[in-house]
Amino acid sequence: MIYIHDTIDFCSDVPSAVTLGKFEGLHRGHQKLLQEIKRLQRQGYRGIVFSIAPGNEPALLTAEEKRIMVQSYGMDCMIKCPFIPEILSMEPEAFVKDVLVNGLQAKYIVVGTDFRFGHNRKGDVRLLGELQSKYGFTLRVMEKECYRGREISSTYVKEALAGADMELANELLGYDYPVRGTVLHGHQLGRKIGMPTINLIPGEQKLLPPPGVYFSRTFHEGRKYDGVTNIGYKPTVDGSFLGVETYLFGTEENMYGCEVEVHLLKFRRAEKRFQSVDELKTQMQKDIAAGREFFHV
């Protein structure tokens, strides 16, 4: 997959089918758009995902996590549109003409019902519909996906995440919530007390659920490991490290320096401060026992 970012030089040398949106979480609603692009790819069009989103806000997926997921859908190209004045100041019709039609050779444009674009967000699906015949493209507007009578949105997912309701968040997303990062050396307290863990720091923009202990599944080089993950600060150690620490069942493999992806499945308990290492060890043993019961291992 071609990945275009940090530039406004958008172009395609073949006719394309383009879907546009923030795609913050690539939830089940977004996946409808990608499935329509896949259908158009089978008709010979280049499949392009055009992601429009602010660059520095906390997000459900980091840029790298989003790129990997879009690639897994078999898209030909992903564009991470920079949030810069040259784009923000473009009038809606100019964006359609110069970027989508002349630049990307869009023959199909696929969006959700609430898609807005252009200067002051003046462009919408009504305008796109009016511009079809003028610029020679076909518009596909996909209806919202709903769950429990509510439209699935990134806001809905964030609410579930803020409440540590990983089952609901994962249902809305259509996949288990990932946290991707490089395994780093920690204080190795877990190893010293006989429960070695892997530590990673997610991307700065990554939105995390509340600090606490979660049942999780970790992926590394095509292998998966069930385990128990602590998210947040480590107050028993030094109170300064915010990250993701995971105890893996059935392995003590050295993963230092490796990229791993931890999927959060269920909230176990809130993070707490312990009076001693022995008290921490006792609680970790209880968490690990609960995790083994959850995974039936």
Side-chain angles (χ1 to χ4, degrees):
M1 182 184 76
I2 299 171
Y3 182 44
I4 299 173
H5 57 99
D6 300 326
T7 180
I8 57 173
D9 185 18
F10 313 130
C11 62
S12 174
D13 55 2
V14 296
S16 66
V18 184
T19 184
L20 303 96
K22 291 184 178 180
F23 300 112
E24 183 183 346
L26 278 174
H27 54 61
R28 284 166 47 191
H30 297 142
Q31 291 163 30
K32 286 182 69 172
L33 305 179
L34 269 59
Q35 291 296 343
E36 179 65 9
I37 294 296
K38 286 177 70 69
R39 188 184 70 80
L40 293 166
Q41 280 180 306
R42 292 193 289 269
Q43 298 179 22
Y45 296 97
R46 172 173 288 172
I48 298 177
V49 174
F50 195 101
S51 177
I52 307 171
N56 297 314
E57 295 181 0
L60 295 169
L61 295 177
T62 66
E64 178 64 5
E65 288 167 347
K66 187 186 298 186
R67 182 195 67 78
I68 290 171
M69 190 165 293
V70 168
Q71 184 171 337
S72 75
Y73 269 83
M75 298 293 103
D76 298 303
C77 175
M78 178 179 176
I79 296 171
K80 180 188 174 187
C81 182
F83 209 62
I84 56 177
E86 291 92 325
I87 295 295
L88 297 175
S89 64
M90 289 188 76
E91 292 300 319
E93 184 170 347
F95 178 81
V96 171
K97 175 186 175 183
D98 298 336
V99 175
L100 301 182
V101 176
N102 293 339
L104 298 178
Q105 292 198 47
K107 298 301 180 185
Y108 284 88
I109 295 175
V110 180
V111 295
T113 55
D114 60 350
F115 177 65
R116 310 283 302 198
F117 67 101
H119 183 54
N120 290 331
R121 293 170 51 84
K122 291 184 292 186
D124 57 13
V125 295
R126 180 193 59 79
L127 177 61
L128 285 172
E130 293 173 354
L131 296 177
Q132 289 182 93
S133 58
K134 182 175 182 178
Y135 292 110
F137 64 87
T138 299
L139 176 65
R140 294 276 190 267
V141 180
M142 310 304 290
E143 293 296 326
K144 293 283 189 176
E145 278 288 293
C146 293
Y147 184 71
R148 295 178 181 172
R150 179 177 173 182
E151 291 182 353
I152 294 176
S153 65
S154 295
T155 297
Y156 196 178
V157 178
K158 287 179 178 180
E159 289 174 5
L161 201 66
D165 190 343
M166 299 313 304
E167 295 97 324
L168 176 57
N170 294 341
E171 179 67 32
L172 299 174
L173 290 169
Y175 58 87
D176 296 328
Y177 193 66
V179 183
R180 188 176 184 86
T182 302
V183 177
L184 306 173
H185 285 278
H187 293 277
Q188 299 194 1
L189 177 60
R191 186 170 298 278
K192 293 175 183 176
I193 61 178
M195 288 174 276
T197 58
I198 61 171
N199 294 274
L200 61 88
I201 301 177
E204 291 182 4
Q205 296 172 251
K206 182 67 176 184
L207 192 63
L208 294 175
V213 175
Y214 297 78
F215 301 136
S216 62
R217 182 163 289 138
T218 298
F219 294 82
H220 170 239
E221 294 183 348
R223 297 184 296 276
K224 64 180 180 180
Y225 305 94
D226 297 332
V228 179
T229 292
N230 181 77
I231 291 182
Y233 294 95
K234 299 185 177 67
T236 307
V237 181
D238 64 8
S240 64
F241 175 70
L242 178 63
V244 177
E245 181 180 15
T246 302
Y247 175 86
L248 304 175
F249 298 141
T251 184
E252 293 187 16
E253 180 181 352
N254 185 345
M255 299 182 186
Y256 292 125
C258 297
E259 284 284 314
V260 302
E261 192 167 279
V262 177
H263 292 189
L264 304 176
L265 307 183
K266 183 178 177 62
F267 179 71
R268 154 79 172 153
R269 64 169 177 84
E271 188 178 48
K272 61 180 291 187
R273 180 181 294 275
F274 296 96
Q275 299 302 313
S276 67
V277 171
D278 286 340
E279 187 179 341
L280 169 62
K281 181 177 180 178
T282 298
Q283 182 61 60
M284 287 181 66
Q285 289 171 335
K286 292 178 180 178
D287 294 334
I288 290 169
R292 291 189 181 280
E293 183 178 351
F294 178 80
F295 289 110
H296 306 290
V297 296

